[in-house]
Amino acid sequence: MKRVLVVEDEASIREMVALNLKMAGWEVLEAPSAERALELMHKSEPCDAALLDIMLPGMDGLSLCETIRRDDNDIGIIIVSAKGQESDKIRGLSIGADDYITKPFSVSELVARLEALTRRIKRGSSSPKAAEEPEQLVSGPFVLDEKSRVLYKAGKPIDLTQVEFQIMELFFRNPATALVREKILEGVWGENYFGDVKIVDVNIRRLRMKIEDEPSNPQHILTVWGYGYRWNA
C-alpha cells in the first residue's frame, strides 16, 4: 500500500484529505506541524509521497520541503499554496518539490496528482527492461545509470530527484534535439498533468545548478528561445 504524509495545521482540512486518501487506497500519516512530520518520518517506514501546506506554525512548509529533500531524493513532494502565492510555488519547486496544488482544490484532483507522481517515481525502478536495452546511457562526460538511478559527470555522482532524473532521461534519449516545454511536461509529468508549464523551467534551473560548471552560462542544457530546451553533451 502506498504511504503519504499529510502536513496541514487546520484539523478539518487535514482530516478530510486523510479520509479521502484512505478511501482511495492510501495509508496516511497525519501531522499538524513540520516538527511533528519530521518525528513521524524518522519513526515510521518511508513514505512514497508528502503533501505539505506552506503556511504552518513554527517551521513552514517550504523549510520542511527542503529538509525532507536533503535526506530523500525518492519521495514525491507536493506543496499546497494559497491563491496568489506564485513566488512560494516557484521557491518550493526550486528547493525540491515535484508539484504544487492551489487551495481550494478538489480531492479528486489531489488523488490524481498523487497517483501520477508516484507512478513517475516508480516507473524507472519497477519496470523490467528489454534484454538488449542498456542500463546506462552515455552522453559526453555524463553517464545516466538507469538501474541505480544516478547521474555521473566525469565519474562523480550527482544527486537528482526522480523528476530531475526523468528530465535527464528525456534529454539523453533525444540528443541535440530541441524539445518544446510541453513535450518535456508531457514526457515527465504525464499528458493529463493539471499544472503550469513553468514547472519545467524551474526544474531546468535546478538541474543547471547541479550539472553545469557555470549555471549562468550553461553548456549542456541550452535554451531554445521561445520554444524549449536542447541537450548538448
Side-chain angles (χ1 to χ4, degrees):
M1 180 182 291
K2 299 183 295 293
R3 292 162 57 86
V4 59
L5 172 68
V6 177
V7 188
E8 165 63 64
D9 62 321
E10 292 189 36
S12 59
I13 296 176
R14 186 178 68 250
E15 291 165 3
M16 179 272 292
V17 169
L19 175 61
N20 281 274
L21 288 175
K22 288 174 184 175
M23 292 173 63
W26 288 76
E27 181 181 349
V28 182
L29 297 180
E30 298 180 51
S33 68
E35 290 79 8
R36 178 56 179 157
L38 292 174
E39 287 179 12
L40 289 174
M41 293 189 77
H42 289 147
K43 291 178 181 177
S44 64
E45 294 296 315
C47 291
D48 298 287
L51 182 70
L52 313 179
D53 189 52
I54 289 179
M55 301 300 293
L56 294 171
M59 178 190 289
D60 65 18
L62 294 175
S63 297
L64 175 59
C65 172
E66 197 167 20
T67 301
I68 292 173
R69 185 56 81 204
R70 276 200 300 266
D71 296 328
D72 191 342
N73 276 325
D74 295 331
I75 187 171
I77 300 177
I78 298 178
I79 55 172
V80 181
S81 67
K83 281 187 176 179
Q85 293 181 319
E86 187 69 23
S87 61
D88 285 340
K89 295 175 189 175
I90 299 301
R91 185 186 163 208
L93 293 170
S94 68
I95 61 177
D98 299 295
D99 199 357
Y100 63 83
I101 193 168
T102 302
K103 289 181 179 178
F105 54 82
S106 70
V107 174
S108 60
E109 179 185 352
L110 173 60
V111 171
R113 289 203 184 203
L114 280 170
E115 294 287 355
L117 179 58
T118 53
R119 278 197 305 272
R120 291 200 307 271
I121 288 171
K122 293 186 175 181
R123 181 171 58 199
S125 57
S126 61
S127 57
K129 294 186 178 295
E132 68 275 8
E133 188 174 349
E135 291 184 337
Q136 290 187 337
L137 300 177
V138 180
S139 183
F142 296 91
V143 175
L144 199 68
D145 191 317
E146 297 190 297
K147 184 176 181 180
S148 65
R149 310 294 286 174
V150 174
L151 173 68
Y152 296 89
K153 179 181 181 181
K156 295 181 179 179
I158 299 173
D159 289 332
L160 301 180
T161 67
Q162 290 304 310
V163 166
E164 291 167 348
F165 190 92
Q166 288 161 30
I167 293 175
M168 293 303 297
E169 277 186 313
L170 196 62
F171 279 140
F172 274 44
R173 294 186 184 279
N174 296 274
T177 302
L179 300 178
V180 68
R181 287 173 174 84
E182 287 77 9
K183 180 176 176 62
I184 299 173
L185 192 70
E186 180 179 332
V188 176
W189 282 267
E191 60 182 11
N192 295 318
Y193 178 68
F194 295 90
D196 196 304
V197 74
K198 289 179 183 176
I199 195 171
V200 173
D201 299 323
V202 175
N203 276 275
I204 292 296
R205 286 201 297 271
R206 202 163 68 190
L207 271 170
R208 282 173 170 165
M209 293 296 294
K210 294 182 176 184
I211 73 169
E212 299 282 0
D213 292 332
E214 295 182 37
S216 61
N217 183 31
Q219 301 300 307
H220 302 296
I221 302 178
L222 306 180
T223 299
V224 181
W225 295 106
Y227 189 80
Y229 299 96
R230 176 168 54 85
W231 174 253
N232 175 51

PDB file of all heavy atoms in Angstrom, residues 60-94:
ATOM      1  N   ASP A  60       7.980  26.447   8.460  1.00  0.00           N
ATOM      2  CA  ASP A  60       6.959  26.465   7.415  1.00  0.00           C
ATOM      3  C   ASP A  60       7.153  25.303   6.443  1.00  0.00           C
ATOM      4  O   ASP A  60       8.128  24.560   6.507  1.00  0.00           O
ATOM      5  CB  ASP A  60       6.932  27.805   6.680  1.00  0.00           C
ATOM      6  CG  ASP A  60       8.208  28.091   5.885  1.00  0.00           C
ATOM      7  OD1 ASP A  60       8.975  27.157   5.595  1.00  0.00           O
ATOM      8  OD2 ASP A  60       8.430  29.270   5.545  1.00  0.00           O
ATOM      9  N   GLY A  61       6.179  25.153   5.526  1.00  0.00           N
ATOM     10  CA  GLY A  61       6.199  24.029   4.612  1.00  0.00           C
ATOM     11  C   GLY A  61       7.358  24.041   3.645  1.00  0.00           C
ATOM     12  O   GLY A  61       7.831  22.972   3.213  1.00  0.00           O
ATOM     13  N   LEU A  62       7.835  25.218   3.286  1.00  0.00           N
ATOM     14  CA  LEU A  62       8.971  25.293   2.359  1.00  0.00           C
ATOM     15  C   LEU A  62      10.256  24.807   3.028  1.00  0.00           C
ATOM     16  O   LEU A  62      11.040  24.072   2.427  1.00  0.00           O
ATOM     17  CB  LEU A  62       9.139  26.729   1.856  1.00  0.00           C
ATOM     18  CG  LEU A  62       7.996  27.260   0.982  1.00  0.00           C
ATOM     19  CD1 LEU A  62       8.222  28.728   0.648  1.00  0.00           C
ATOM     20  CD2 LEU A  62       7.859  26.435  -0.292  1.00  0.00           C
ATOM     21  N   SER A  63      10.449  25.209   4.274  1.00  0.00           N
ATOM     22  CA  SER A  63      11.626  24.731   5.010  1.00  0.00           C
ATOM     23  C   SER A  63      11.532  23.226   5.241  1.00  0.00           C
ATOM     24  O   SER A  63      12.546  22.515   5.183  1.00  0.00           O
ATOM     25  CB  SER A  63      11.744  25.464   6.348  1.00  0.00           C
ATOM     26  OG  SER A  63      11.939  26.855   6.155  1.00  0.00           O
ATOM     27  N   LEU A  64      10.314  22.745   5.497  1.00  0.00           N
ATOM     28  CA  LEU A  64      10.117  21.308   5.668  1.00  0.00           C
ATOM     29  C   LEU A  64      10.452  20.567   4.377  1.00  0.00           C
ATOM     30  O   LEU A  64      11.112  19.526   4.394  1.00  0.00           O
ATOM     31  CB  LEU A  64       8.675  21.027   6.084  1.00  0.00           C
ATOM     32  CG  LEU A  64       8.276  19.549   6.202  1.00  0.00           C
ATOM     33  CD1 LEU A  64       9.145  18.830   7.224  1.00  0.00           C
ATOM     34  CD2 LEU A  64       6.795  19.424   6.567  1.00  0.00           C
ATOM     35  N   CYS A  65       9.999  21.102   3.258  1.00  0.00           N
ATOM     36  CA  CYS A  65      10.298  20.507   1.958  1.00  0.00           C
ATOM     37  C   CYS A  65      11.800  20.391   1.753  1.00  0.00           C
ATOM     38  O   CYS A  65      12.317  19.339   1.352  1.00  0.00           O
ATOM     39  CB  CYS A  65       9.667  21.356   0.846  1.00  0.00           C
ATOM     40  SG  CYS A  65      10.130  20.872  -0.831  1.00  0.00           S
ATOM     41  N   GLU A  66      12.514  21.457   2.047  1.00  0.00           N
ATOM     42  CA  GLU A  66      13.970  21.478   1.875  1.00  0.00           C
ATOM     43  C   GLU A  66      14.642  20.447   2.777  1.00  0.00           C
ATOM     44  O   GLU A  66      15.576  19.746   2.364  1.00  0.00           O
ATOM     45  CB  GLU A  66      14.492  22.879   2.178  1.00  0.00           C
ATOM     46  CG  GLU A  66      15.872  23.165   1.659  1.00  0.00           C
ATOM     47  CD  GLU A  66      16.208  24.645   1.721  1.00  0.00           C
ATOM     48  OE1 GLU A  66      15.556  25.384   2.489  1.00  0.00           O
ATOM     49  OE2 GLU A  66      17.127  25.054   1.002  1.00  0.00           O
ATOM     50  N   THR A  67      14.135  20.334   4.006  1.00  0.00           N
ATOM     51  CA  THR A  67      14.705  19.383   4.961  1.00  0.00           C
ATOM     52  C   THR A  67      14.474  17.945   4.520  1.00  0.00           C
ATOM     53  O   THR A  67      15.388  17.108   4.556  1.00  0.00           O
ATOM     54  CB  THR A  67      14.081  19.596   6.358  1.00  0.00           C
ATOM     55  OG1 THR A  67      14.336  20.929   6.799  1.00  0.00           O
ATOM     56  CG2 THR A  67      14.676  18.622   7.369  1.00  0.00           C
ATOM     57  N   ILE A  68      13.256  17.653   4.083  1.00  0.00           N
ATOM     58  CA  ILE A  68      12.937  16.300   3.621  1.00  0.00           C
ATOM     59  C   ILE A  68      13.777  15.946   2.402  1.00  0.00           C
ATOM     60  O   ILE A  68      14.340  14.846   2.296  1.00  0.00           O
ATOM     61  CB  ILE A  68      11.438  16.178   3.289  1.00  0.00           C
ATOM     62  CG1 ILE A  68      10.596  16.280   4.564  1.00  0.00           C
ATOM     63  CG2 ILE A  68      11.141  14.860   2.569  1.00  0.00           C
ATOM     64  CD1 ILE A  68       9.098  16.335   4.306  1.00  0.00           C
ATOM     65  N   ARG A  69      13.888  16.886   1.466  1.00  0.00           N
ATOM     66  CA  ARG A  69      14.593  16.597   0.216  1.00  0.00           C
ATOM     67  C   ARG A  69      16.082  16.355   0.442  1.00  0.00           C
ATOM     68  O   ARG A  69      16.710  15.592  -0.297  1.00  0.00           O
ATOM     69  CB  ARG A  69      14.371  17.742  -0.775  1.00  0.00           C
ATOM     70  CG  ARG A  69      14.949  17.505  -2.143  1.00  0.00           C
ATOM     71  CD  ARG A  69      14.430  16.203  -2.768  1.00  0.00           C
ATOM     72  NE  ARG A  69      13.114  16.355  -3.381  1.00  0.00           N
ATOM     73  CZ  ARG A  69      12.270  15.356  -3.574  1.00  0.00           C
ATOM     74  NH1 ARG A  69      12.583  14.127  -3.179  1.00  0.00           N
ATOM     75  NH2 ARG A  69      11.097  15.564  -4.138  1.00  0.00           N
ATOM     76  N   ARG A  70      16.660  16.979   1.456  1.00  0.00           N
ATOM     77  CA  ARG A  70      18.084  16.759   1.736  1.00  0.00           C
ATOM     78  C   ARG A  70      18.367  15.295   2.065  1.00  0.00           C
ATOM     79  O   ARG A  70      19.435  14.771   1.762  1.00  0.00           O
ATOM     80  CB  ARG A  70      18.547  17.642   2.906  1.00  0.00           C
ATOM     81  CG  ARG A  70      18.931  19.054   2.510  1.00  0.00           C
ATOM     82  CD  ARG A  70      19.819  19.688   3.562  1.00  0.00           C
ATOM     83  NE  ARG A  70      19.162  19.771   4.856  1.00  0.00           N
ATOM     84  CZ  ARG A  70      18.493  20.837   5.285  1.00  0.00           C
ATOM     85  NH1 ARG A  70      18.381  21.913   4.510  1.00  0.00           N
ATOM     86  NH2 ARG A  70      17.939  20.848   6.469  1.00  0.00           N
ATOM     87  N   ASP A  71      17.387  14.640   2.697  1.00  0.00           N
ATOM     88  CA  ASP A  71      17.579  13.255   3.132  1.00  0.00           C
ATOM     89  C   ASP A  71      16.994  12.224   2.184  1.00  0.00           C
ATOM     90  O   ASP A  71      17.300  11.036   2.285  1.00  0.00           O
ATOM     91  CB  ASP A  71      16.948  13.043   4.524  1.00  0.00           C
ATOM     92  CG  ASP A  71      17.629  13.880   5.602  1.00  0.00           C
ATOM     93  OD1 ASP A  71      18.848  14.114   5.471  1.00  0.00           O
ATOM     94  OD2 ASP A  71      16.949  14.291   6.555  1.00  0.00           O
ATOM     95  N   ASP A  72      16.115  12.647   1.279  1.00  0.00           N
ATOM     96  CA  ASP A  72      15.391  11.675   0.458  1.00  0.00           C
ATOM     97  C   ASP A  72      15.123  12.250  -0.928  1.00  0.00           C
ATOM     98  O   ASP A  72      14.305  13.162  -1.084  1.00  0.00           O
ATOM     99  CB  ASP A  72      14.067  11.319   1.140  1.00  0.00           C
ATOM    100  CG  ASP A  72      13.364  10.131   0.498  1.00  0.00           C
ATOM    101  OD1 ASP A  72      13.709   9.787  -0.658  1.00  0.00           O
ATOM    102  OD2 ASP A  72      12.473   9.553   1.140  1.00  0.00           O
ATOM    103  N   ASN A  73      15.806  11.699  -1.934  1.00  0.00           N
ATOM    104  CA  ASN A  73      15.581  12.142  -3.311  1.00  0.00           C
ATOM    105  C   ASN A  73      14.452  11.383  -3.995  1.00  0.00           C
ATOM    106  O   ASN A  73      14.063  11.720  -5.111  1.00  0.00           O
ATOM    107  CB  ASN A  73      16.869  11.967  -4.136  1.00  0.00           C
ATOM    108  CG  ASN A  73      17.819  13.134  -3.977  1.00  0.00           C
ATOM    109  OD1 ASN A  73      17.388  14.277  -3.832  1.00  0.00           O
ATOM    110  ND2 ASN A  73      19.103  12.853  -3.977  1.00  0.00           N
ATOM    111  N   ASP A  74      13.939  10.340  -3.335  1.00  0.00           N
ATOM    112  CA  ASP A  74      12.950   9.482  -3.972  1.00  0.00           C
ATOM    113  C   ASP A  74      11.507   9.857  -3.654  1.00  0.00           C
ATOM    114  O   ASP A  74      10.610   9.578  -4.445  1.00  0.00           O
ATOM    115  CB  ASP A  74      13.179   8.018  -3.569  1.00  0.00           C
ATOM    116  CG  ASP A  74      14.503   7.489  -4.093  1.00  0.00           C
ATOM    117  OD1 ASP A  74      14.955   7.971  -5.155  1.00  0.00           O
ATOM    118  OD2 ASP A  74      15.092   6.614  -3.448  1.00  0.00           O
ATOM    119  N   ILE A  75      11.263  10.430  -2.501  1.00  0.00           N
ATOM    120  CA  ILE A  75       9.900  10.745  -2.110  1.00  0.00           C
ATOM    121  C   ILE A  75       9.308  11.811  -3.036  1.00  0.00           C
ATOM    122  O   ILE A  75       9.994  12.740  -3.455  1.00  0.00           O
ATOM    123  CB  ILE A  75       9.839  11.218  -0.631  1.00  0.00           C
ATOM    124  CG1 ILE A  75       8.384  11.382  -0.169  1.00  0.00           C
ATOM    125  CG2 ILE A  75      10.620  12.508  -0.438  1.00  0.00           C
ATOM    126  CD1 ILE A  75       8.262  11.641   1.318  1.00  0.00           C
ATOM    127  N   GLY A  76       8.047  11.651  -3.395  1.00  0.00           N
ATOM    128  CA  GLY A  76       7.358  12.662  -4.183  1.00  0.00           C
ATOM    129  C   GLY A  76       6.788  13.734  -3.264  1.00  0.00           C
ATOM    130  O   GLY A  76       6.140  13.409  -2.266  1.00  0.00           O
ATOM    131  N   ILE A  77       7.032  15.000  -3.573  1.00  0.00           N
ATOM    132  CA  ILE A  77       6.583  16.096  -2.710  1.00  0.00           C
ATOM    133  C   ILE A  77       5.665  17.035  -3.476  1.00  0.00           C
ATOM    134  O   ILE A  77       6.024  17.541  -4.539  1.00  0.00           O
ATOM    135  CB  ILE A  77       7.779  16.897  -2.146  1.00  0.00           C
ATOM    136  CG1 ILE A  77       8.692  15.985  -1.307  1.00  0.00           C
ATOM    137  CG2 ILE A  77       7.282  18.070  -1.302  1.00  0.00           C
ATOM    138  CD1 ILE A  77       9.931  16.689  -0.776  1.00  0.00           C
ATOM    139  N   ILE A  78       4.482  17.256  -2.921  1.00  0.00           N
ATOM    140  CA  ILE A  78       3.539  18.243  -3.458  1.00  0.00           C
ATOM    141  C   ILE A  78       3.350  19.322  -2.400  1.00  0.00           C
ATOM    142  O   ILE A  78       3.041  19.011  -1.245  1.00  0.00           O
ATOM    143  CB  ILE A  78       2.176  17.614  -3.799  1.00  0.00           C
ATOM    144  CG1 ILE A  78       2.321  16.546  -4.879  1.00  0.00           C
ATOM    145  CG2 ILE A  78       1.192  18.686  -4.260  1.00  0.00           C
ATOM    146  CD1 ILE A  78       1.018  15.849  -5.241  1.00  0.00           C
ATOM    147  N   ILE A  79       3.561  20.587  -2.770  1.00  0.00           N
ATOM    148  CA  ILE A  79       3.316  21.671  -1.834  1.00  0.00           C
ATOM    149  C   ILE A  79       1.934  22.267  -2.097  1.00  0.00           C
ATOM    150  O   ILE A  79       1.458  22.287  -3.223  1.00  0.00           O
ATOM    151  CB  ILE A  79       4.402  22.768  -1.915  1.00  0.00           C
ATOM    152  CG1 ILE A  79       4.545  23.299  -3.343  1.00  0.00           C
ATOM    153  CG2 ILE A  79       5.735  22.253  -1.389  1.00  0.00           C
ATOM    154  CD1 ILE A  79       5.455  24.506  -3.440  1.00  0.00           C
ATOM    155  N   VAL A  80       1.299  22.734  -1.029  1.00  0.00           N
ATOM    156  CA  VAL A  80      -0.040  23.319  -1.110  1.00  0.00           C
ATOM    157  C   VAL A  80       0.073  24.804  -0.833  1.00  0.00           C
ATOM    158  O   VAL A  80       0.555  25.211   0.227  1.00  0.00           O
ATOM    159  CB  VAL A  80      -0.992  22.662  -0.089  1.00  0.00           C
ATOM    160  CG1 VAL A  80      -2.386  23.268  -0.215  1.00  0.00           C
ATOM    161  CG2 VAL A  80      -1.045  21.159  -0.287  1.00  0.00           C
ATOM    162  N   SER A  81      -0.339  25.619  -1.793  1.00  0.00           N
ATOM    163  CA  SER A  81      -0.245  27.076  -1.629  1.00  0.00           C
ATOM    164  C   SER A  81      -1.619  27.704  -1.762  1.00  0.00           C
ATOM    165  O   SER A  81      -2.544  27.102  -2.308  1.00  0.00           O
ATOM    166  CB  SER A  81       0.702  27.676  -2.676  1.00  0.00           C
ATOM    167  OG  SER A  81       0.143  27.529  -3.975  1.00  0.00           O
ATOM    168  N   ALA A  82      -1.745  28.917  -1.233  1.00  0.00           N
ATOM    169  CA  ALA A  82      -2.975  29.686  -1.405  1.00  0.00           C
ATOM    170  C   ALA A  82      -2.895  30.448  -2.717  1.00  0.00           C
ATOM    171  O   ALA A  82      -1.819  30.627  -3.289  1.00  0.00           O
ATOM    172  CB  ALA A  82      -3.160  30.653  -0.241  1.00  0.00           C
ATOM    173  N   LYS A  83      -4.031  30.875  -3.210  1.00  0.00           N
ATOM    174  CA  LYS A  83      -4.045  31.653  -4.448  1.00  0.00           C
ATOM    175  C   LYS A  83      -3.192  32.910  -4.282  1.00  0.00           C
ATOM    176  O   LYS A  83      -3.194  33.549  -3.238  1.00  0.00           O
ATOM    177  CB  LYS A  83      -5.477  32.056  -4.809  1.00  0.00           C
ATOM    178  CG  LYS A  83      -6.272  30.929  -5.447  1.00  0.00           C
ATOM    179  CD  LYS A  83      -7.618  31.410  -5.940  1.00  0.00           C
ATOM    180  CE  LYS A  83      -8.372  30.298  -6.672  1.00  0.00           C
ATOM    181  NZ  LYS A  83      -9.699  30.741  -7.151  1.00  0.00           N
ATOM    182  N   GLY A  84      -2.451  33.262  -5.324  1.00  0.00           N
ATOM    183  CA  GLY A  84      -1.646  34.472  -5.285  1.00  0.00           C
ATOM    184  C   GLY A  84      -0.254  34.279  -4.741  1.00  0.00           C
ATOM    185  O   GLY A  84       0.540  35.211  -4.718  1.00  0.00           O
ATOM    186  N   GLN A  85       0.076  33.053  -4.293  1.00  0.00           N
ATOM    187  CA  GLN A  85       1.412  32.800  -3.737  1.00  0.00           C
ATOM    188  C   GLN A  85       2.350  32.247  -4.805  1.00  0.00           C
ATOM    189  O   GLN A  85       3.008  31.230  -4.627  1.00  0.00           O
ATOM    190  CB  GLN A  85       1.319  31.828  -2.557  1.00  0.00           C
ATOM    191  CG  GLN A  85       0.606  32.398  -1.345  1.00  0.00           C
ATOM    192  CD  GLN A  85       0.558  31.395  -0.201  1.00  0.00           C
ATOM    193  OE1 GLN A  85       0.333  30.207  -0.406  1.00  0.00           O
ATOM    194  NE2 GLN A  85       0.742  31.876   1.011  1.00  0.00           N
ATOM    195  N   GLU A  86       2.423  32.948  -5.926  1.00  0.00           N
ATOM    196  CA  GLU A  86       3.229  32.468  -7.050  1.00  0.00           C
ATOM    197  C   GLU A  86       4.692  32.311  -6.674  1.00  0.00           C
ATOM    198  O   GLU A  86       5.340  31.325  -7.049  1.00  0.00           O
ATOM    199  CB  GLU A  86       3.099  33.433  -8.231  1.00  0.00           C
ATOM    200  CG  GLU A  86       3.753  32.963  -9.514  1.00  0.00           C
ATOM    201  CD  GLU A  86       3.035  31.779 -10.144  1.00  0.00           C
ATOM    202  OE1 GLU A  86       1.838  31.591  -9.868  1.00  0.00           O
ATOM    203  OE2 GLU A  86       3.678  31.036 -10.908  1.00  0.00           O
ATOM    204  N   SER A  87       5.216  33.272  -5.911  1.00  0.00           N
ATOM    205  CA  SER A  87       6.636  33.197  -5.546  1.00  0.00           C
ATOM    206  C   SER A  87       6.909  31.998  -4.653  1.00  0.00           C
ATOM    207  O   SER A  87       7.981  31.386  -4.732  1.00  0.00           O
ATOM    208  CB  SER A  87       7.065  34.479  -4.839  1.00  0.00           C
ATOM    209  OG  SER A  87       6.320  34.676  -3.644  1.00  0.00           O
ATOM    210  N   ASP A  88       5.943  31.640  -3.796  1.00  0.00           N
ATOM    211  CA  ASP A  88       6.117  30.473  -2.933  1.00  0.00           C
ATOM    212  C   ASP A  88       6.127  29.189  -3.744  1.00  0.00           C
ATOM    213  O   ASP A  88       6.886  28.261  -3.443  1.00  0.00           O
ATOM    214  CB  ASP A  88       4.993  30.414  -1.886  1.00  0.00           C
ATOM    215  CG  ASP A  88       5.176  31.440  -0.779  1.00  0.00           C
ATOM    216  OD1 ASP A  88       6.312  31.911  -0.595  1.00  0.00           O
ATOM    217  OD2 ASP A  88       4.194  31.769  -0.104  1.00  0.00           O
ATOM    218  N   LYS A  89       5.284  29.124  -4.774  1.00  0.00           N
ATOM    219  CA  LYS A  89       5.277  27.938  -5.639  1.00  0.00           C
ATOM    220  C   LYS A  89       6.640  27.761  -6.301  1.00  0.00           C
ATOM    221  O   LYS A  89       7.209  26.663  -6.320  1.00  0.00           O
ATOM    222  CB  LYS A  89       4.208  28.075  -6.725  1.00  0.00           C
ATOM    223  CG  LYS A  89       2.778  28.111  -6.235  1.00  0.00           C
ATOM    224  CD  LYS A  89       1.858  28.379  -7.420  1.00  0.00           C
ATOM    225  CE  LYS A  89       0.437  28.644  -6.984  1.00  0.00           C
ATOM    226  NZ  LYS A  89      -0.422  29.017  -8.143  1.00  0.00           N
ATOM    227  N   ILE A  90       7.157  28.857  -6.850  1.00  0.00           N
ATOM    228  CA  ILE A  90       8.437  28.793  -7.559  1.00  0.00           C
ATOM    229  C   ILE A  90       9.553  28.407  -6.602  1.00  0.00           C
ATOM    230  O   ILE A  90      10.404  27.568  -6.925  1.00  0.00           O
ATOM    231  CB  ILE A  90       8.756  30.147  -8.228  1.00  0.00           C
ATOM    232  CG1 ILE A  90       7.686  30.506  -9.259  1.00  0.00           C
ATOM    233  CG2 ILE A  90      10.123  30.109  -8.870  1.00  0.00           C
ATOM    234  CD1 ILE A  90       7.511  29.497 -10.371  1.00  0.00           C
ATOM    235  N   ARG A  91       9.542  28.984  -5.410  1.00  0.00           N
ATOM    236  CA  ARG A  91      10.585  28.637  -4.441  1.00  0.00           C
ATOM    237  C   ARG A  91      10.470  27.168  -4.036  1.00  0.00           C
ATOM    238  O   ARG A  91      11.470  26.459  -3.931  1.00  0.00           O
ATOM    239  CB  ARG A  91      10.480  29.526  -3.200  1.00  0.00           C
ATOM    240  CG  ARG A  91      11.640  29.263  -2.240  1.00  0.00           C
ATOM    241  CD  ARG A  91      11.541  29.993  -0.929  1.00  0.00           C
ATOM    242  NE  ARG A  91      12.449  29.381   0.031  1.00  0.00           N
ATOM    243  CZ  ARG A  91      12.260  29.393   1.342  1.00  0.00           C
ATOM    244  NH1 ARG A  91      11.190  29.986   1.852  1.00  0.00           N
ATOM    245  NH2 ARG A  91      13.124  28.833   2.148  1.00  0.00           N
ATOM    246  N   GLY A  92       9.241  26.706  -3.839  1.00  0.00           N
ATOM    247  CA  GLY A  92       9.051  25.311  -3.463  1.00  0.00           C
ATOM    248  C   GLY A  92       9.596  24.362  -4.505  1.00  0.00           C
ATOM    249  O   GLY A  92      10.284  23.382  -4.187  1.00  0.00           O
ATOM    250  N   LEU A  93       9.314  24.645  -5.761  1.00  0.00           N
ATOM    251  CA  LEU A  93       9.814  23.794  -6.841  1.00  0.00           C
ATOM    252  C   LEU A  93      11.336  23.864  -6.936  1.00  0.00           C
ATOM    253  O   LEU A  93      11.996  22.873  -7.236  1.00  0.00           O
ATOM    254  CB  LEU A  93       9.181  24.214  -8.165  1.00  0.00           C
ATOM    255  CG  LEU A  93       7.669  23.971  -8.286  1.00  0.00           C
ATOM    256  CD1 LEU A  93       7.124  24.656  -9.535  1.00  0.00           C
ATOM    257  CD2 LEU A  93       7.352  22.482  -8.312  1.00  0.00           C
ATOM    258  N   SER A  94      11.887  25.033  -6.675  1.00  0.00           N
ATOM    259  CA  SER A  94      13.336  25.208  -6.809  1.00  0.00           C
ATOM    260  C   SER A  94      14.110  24.507  -5.701  1.00  0.00           C
ATOM    261  O   SER A  94      15.291  24.199  -5.872  1.00  0.00           O
ATOM    262  CB  SER A  94      13.689  26.698  -6.829  1.00  0.00           C
ATOM    263  OG  SER A  94      13.446  27.298  -5.571  1.00  0.00           O
TER     264      SER A  94
END
